[in-house]
Amino acid sequence: APAQSQKPPITLTIAARESTVKSGQVDSLIVKEKNISKKLIDESRSMDMRTGYGVEILRNGNPVPRTKETLKREAASAAQYSCDPVCSYGWEGSVYFFILKPRQQTTVDFPIAACYDMSEPGVYQITLIDDMDRVKSNTITITVLPPDSSPARK
């Protein structure tokens, strides 16, 4: 009998606070994780090394580099822990302990612009990947305008 693929125990949804912003004004993303299983899920993460999310980020279809500060932190963390860390912005020395009960949801901020260079104008497409649960988020689009421009009114 063929092996059945197992449904991930969580859903991962991201949102931007603003879909169009000036360069230098990109805010953190809103990340929602929801336990869709009938079991407790340990979502604890070491914040020394990673936020727990992989990131796919493109600007006008091209990969976006990490910030210089993030690369320095990652190099220091990799040397200390012999691992391949993801963006470790802001949580050095702490651990985020969290157990998600069935149907429970948690919301966290993800400091995307502190981790990736979003200073250049363009259209950014962002997807997060929860490596622990092997699930991808939705993809969002953020348009970054030149610093001297005016965002269109809605």
Side-chain angles (χ1 to χ4, degrees):
Q4 292 184 356
S5 68
Q6 200 169 3
K7 186 177 178 183
I10 68 163
T11 58
L12 185 62
T13 307
I14 61 173
R17 294 179 194 286
E18 303 261 347
S19 60
T20 302
V21 296
K22 290 182 185 181
S23 176
Q25 297 181 348
V26 177
D27 205 345
S28 58
L29 302 180
I30 301 165
V31 180
K32 293 181 180 181
E33 284 190 50
K34 183 174 183 178
N35 180 352
I36 57 172
S37 77
K38 296 178 181 175
K39 299 178 180 179
L40 295 174
I41 297 178
D42 184 354
E43 287 296 305
S44 301
R45 300 156 196 266
S46 168
M47 294 306 180
D48 275 345
M49 297 179 279
R50 55 188 297 143
T51 60
Y53 303 112
V55 179
E56 293 176 358
I57 179 169
L58 302 174
R59 178 182 53 247
N60 303 330
N62 299 307
V64 175
R66 290 180 175 95
T67 62
K68 289 176 184 160
E69 294 79 15
T70 296
L71 291 172
K72 283 183 208 170
R73 266 194 303 278
E74 289 176 352
S77 184
Q80 183 175 356
Y81 297 103
S82 301
C83 67
D84 182 24
V86 178
C87 174
S88 60
Y89 176 78
W91 292 290
E92 283 79 293
S94 61
V95 177
Y96 169 70
F97 292 105
F98 196 78
I99 303 295
L100 275 177
K101 297 173 186 170
R103 294 177 300 287
Q104 184 180 14
Q105 177 174 286
T106 185
T107 302
V108 296
D109 287 338
F110 183 87
I112 190 74
C115 300
Y116 290 85
D117 183 1
M118 295 182 70
S119 62
E120 289 190 34
V123 177
Y124 291 78
Q125 290 183 302
I126 305 165
T127 307
L128 296 188
I129 301 104
D130 183 318
D131 295 328
M132 291 172 32
D133 298 307
R134 295 177 299 286
V135 63
K136 277 189 173 188
S137 74
N138 56 309
T139 298
I140 62 167
T141 300
I142 297 175
T143 301
V144 175
L145 303 173
D148 57 353
S149 64
S150 299
R153 295 277 177 222
K154 292 180 183 177

